[in-house]
Amino acid sequence: MNREVPSPSVDPQLAHAECERLARPVGSPFRLASLKLPADRQQAITALRALDVSLAEIPETVSEPQVAMAKLDWWREALLGMTQDRAEHPVIQSLLTSLDALGLGEEARSEDSPLVARLEERLGGARIELEYEGFAAEADLEAYLDARYASLFALYARLLEATDDEVDAAARLGRWHGRLDRARLLGRHARSGRVYLPQETLNRHGLDEADLYRDAGPDSREALFREELERIGTGLGDWQASGRPPRLFRILRAIDREHLRLMRSAPEELTAGRVEISPLRCWWLAWRAAW
């Protein structure tokens, strides 16, 4: 039975509007991908995305480690409050009311539910970023990507009433979406001391972290970039479930593939900054992928 969040801290419509502001800015890939979803599912998925954005901002914008960790601990307490039927932030309030509307409110209030476990994975991904120690092997990087990205893609699929196979396929797609996202920011992250590539891969190419952001690097750096982009391209094409991916994932994947195409054409740009696509091009890609 659906339930209402007790004593909301702000008007429910304002809570949903805050999620819209965080998660679906005009022209963004996520907005284009979620534009035609049924209103109740769009609202729930938007709230999840808003939570993701809020967590992602902590390691990217807070320079003082203790302050960043305190912010992450606050969000952990806020999610714990959600399981106790408390909404301590507009994003949590919107998420709870949206899940109630979909009949998932009881699961959102259960600390042992798969839904809450996925949200805890996402918190774990943020902690890995804040306590960055590098990734020794491929398995270490994949564990981070699964926590940071696959967890949310699996939840999106769950809210779209996907089959178990489709949820698993969405999680794997999330891993490759995340790997591409990290590659797009490779140079910037390397300059701040975070490299989202396995150390064993760097060693195999005879590279160190500083080689990833220098204006001019050894020839093996481009070979590394091309190898990584080829791996991502293969992963993005591997939807391991019957039928086509849901529309949300088709559009996100189409835009990812365009980013990948641009990056493949100029791999040296990975050291300079994020590769971007024009808004008009994003609209066209979304329109084509929707059919």
Side-chain angles (χ1 to χ4, degrees):
M1 182 172 66
N2 292 351
R3 299 167 59 180
E4 294 295 330
V5 179
S7 302
S9 56
V10 299
D11 180 270
Q13 292 304 314
L14 293 178
H16 298 325
E18 175 64 4
C19 289
E20 283 281 319
R21 182 188 70 81
L22 289 168
R24 287 169 29 99
V26 175
S28 67
F30 185 83
R31 184 180 186 87
L32 295 174
S34 59
L35 200 58
K36 296 295 185 180
L37 292 177
D40 54 351
R41 301 191 186 281
Q42 182 189 90
Q43 190 167 283
I45 288 174
T46 297
L48 281 174
R49 172 63 177 163
L51 175 62
D52 179 47
V53 170
S54 298
L55 293 174
E57 286 179 344
I58 297 174
E60 295 292 341
T61 62
V62 181
S63 58
E64 175 55 51
Q66 290 182 329
V67 175
M69 193 59 71
K71 285 179 175 288
L72 181 59
D73 288 342
W74 186 91
W75 276 106
R76 187 179 299 279
E77 289 299 316
L79 285 175
L80 177 61
M82 181 183 77
T83 66
Q84 297 168 354
D85 210 21
R86 300 197 315 270
E88 299 177 355
H89 188 280
V91 168
I92 300 296
Q93 182 179 328
S94 180
L95 180 58
L96 262 179
T97 56
S98 300
L99 292 174
D100 279 337
L102 294 176
L104 296 172
E106 293 300 324
E107 186 173 345
R109 293 173 174 85
S110 172
E111 293 184 43
D112 299 325
S113 72
L115 189 154
V116 173
R118 291 287 191 184
L119 293 176
E120 289 176 342
E121 284 183 58
R122 176 62 187 91
L123 283 169
R127 183 168 289 273
I128 290 171
E129 292 172 352
L130 291 179
E131 298 177 343
Y132 174 82
E133 295 181 350
F135 306 97
E138 181 70 23
D140 301 315
L141 177 62
E142 288 185 356
Y144 158 72
L145 293 170
D146 285 348
R148 170 68 172 80
Y149 294 94
S151 58
L152 267 296
F153 271 57
L155 283 173
Y156 296 157
R158 170 79 189 285
L159 295 182
L160 293 173
E161 297 186 300
T163 65
D164 289 344
D165 285 347
E166 289 172 330
V167 170
D168 290 342
R172 285 189 290 270
L173 181 62
R175 177 193 296 173
W176 293 109
H177 168 84
R179 194 150 183 164
L180 178 66
D181 183 62
R182 299 295 87 176
R184 291 175 62 211
L185 293 167
L186 190 149
R188 190 175 90 183
H189 283 151
R191 281 188 287 275
S192 65
R194 289 180 288 155
V195 174
Y196 294 93
L197 289 171
Q199 186 61 48
E200 63 183 10
T201 300
L202 295 178
N203 293 342
R204 179 161 47 82
H205 286 271
L207 298 168
D208 60 35
E209 293 184 3
D211 290 322
L212 300 181
Y213 61 81
R214 291 181 176 132
D215 289 338
D219 292 341
S220 58
R221 185 176 70 175
E222 183 171 334
L224 167 66
F225 291 166
R226 292 195 179 280
E227 176 186 293
E228 179 69 4
L229 296 177
E230 186 64 30
R231 181 191 290 257
I232 292 170
T234 300
L236 287 175
D238 188 19
W239 176 258
Q240 296 182 23
S242 59
R244 302 171 72 199
R247 183 180 187 274
L248 175 79
F249 300 121
R250 294 203 307 273
I251 292 175
L252 291 175
R253 185 171 66 172
I255 294 173
D256 278 348
R257 283 173 162 169
E258 179 68 2
H259 279 127
L260 186 63
R261 183 187 69 80
L262 295 174
M263 292 159 72
R264 280 172 165 165
S265 67
E268 67 280 359
E269 292 298 318
L270 296 185
T271 63
R274 185 194 294 264
V275 174
E276 299 290 357
I277 304 171
S278 72
L280 183 59
R281 179 70 172 168
C282 280
W283 274 102
W284 185 83
L285 290 166
W287 176 81
R288 189 176 67 172
W291 297 95

